[in-house]
Amino acid sequence: MQLHLLEDEAVAPALASFRTDARLRLWGAGACASVALAVTWLGYAHRLLPLVAGPLSAAFLLWSAYLALTFAGRRAVRYTLTAQRLEIERGVFGKHVASVELWRVRDLVLDQTLVERMRGVGRITLYSSDQLEPELDVGPVAGARSLFARLRDAVSAARKDAKVVPLA
C-alpha cells in the first residue's frame, strides 16, 4: 500500500541555504599527509632514524585520515532558513532533519575566535523555547556576521507575524 499526496502544499522559499565551513579541516588533512610523506622520505634517505620516522609518519597519516573523515561529517550538515523556520539536515548516508520555528527563538549569539574573525567564520547559537532543541548551535559558517544579521531580521519578522508578545 502506498500513500499519495493529494494536494501539493506551497513550499516556503528559502531565504538562505548554507553549510558548515570545514575548509580548515581539509587543508589540515592535506598538510598532515604532506608531513607524513616528507618524514617517510627523510627516513628512506637515512636523514632521520627509521625508528623515529616510521611512528611519526604513521601518526601524521592517522591524523590526516581523522581530519578528512571529520571534514565529510561537517560538510554533511545543511541549514535552510525560510521565513517561518530554520531547518537542519544532518547525515552522510542517512538523513536527520530537524526544524526550529523562528517565532520560538528568544535570543541569538554570535561567537568568533580571533582566527575565525580573520577567516570570516563564526558560530551562531540560537536560544529558543522549543522543548527538543532549546539551544541550537549553527556553524562554524562562512560569512557569519551577515548571516547573523539575516537570521536576526528573520526571527524578528516571524515573531511579528505570529504576534508573539514577550511576557518578561
Side-chain angles (χ1 to χ4, degrees):
M1 182 169 154
Q2 290 183 339
L3 296 175
H4 296 283
L5 186 62
L6 297 177
E7 290 182 25
D8 190 19
E9 284 187 28
V11 178
L15 299 175
S17 182
F18 49 96
R19 292 181 181 266
T20 54
D21 185 49
R23 292 176 292 181
L24 198 57
R25 288 186 180 270
L26 190 60
W27 282 100
C32 286
S34 299
V35 169
L37 287 173
V39 169
T40 302
W41 179 80
L42 289 172
Y44 277 118
H46 298 291
R47 296 184 184 190
L48 195 61
L49 289 174
L51 190 61
V52 174
L56 195 58
S57 178
F60 275 106
L61 195 59
L62 287 173
W63 189 250
S64 175
Y66 167 76
L67 288 174
L69 289 174
T70 56
F71 168 80
R74 288 254 175 113
R75 287 296 293 174
V77 179
R78 175 187 296 272
Y79 301 96
T80 305
L81 176 65
T82 65
Q84 292 86 20
R85 66 188 54 87
L86 176 67
E87 290 185 350
I88 305 99
E89 182 178 330
R90 292 183 173 102
V92 176
F93 300 114
K95 292 292 181 191
H96 174 78
V97 179
S99 68
V100 174
E101 298 292 329
L102 291 179
W103 65 269
R104 289 184 173 270
V105 175
R106 291 182 289 129
D107 202 10
L108 297 165
V109 176
L110 172 64
D111 289 318
Q112 290 179 305
T113 63
L114 178 63
V115 174
E116 287 174 339
R117 284 183 64 199
M118 291 188 319
R119 294 179 49 227
V121 175
R123 299 171 195 278
I124 301 170
T125 305
L126 283 82
Y127 296 99
S128 72
S129 59
D130 189 49
Q131 296 294 326
L132 295 176
E133 295 278 350
E135 186 175 318
L136 179 68
D137 291 321
V138 175
V141 291
R145 187 72 175 189
S146 63
L147 181 63
F148 176 74
R150 182 181 282 177
L151 192 55
R152 185 188 60 224
D153 294 342
V155 166
S156 178
R159 291 175 69 84
K160 187 177 179 181
D161 289 345
K163 296 178 174 76
V164 175
V165 178
L167 294 176

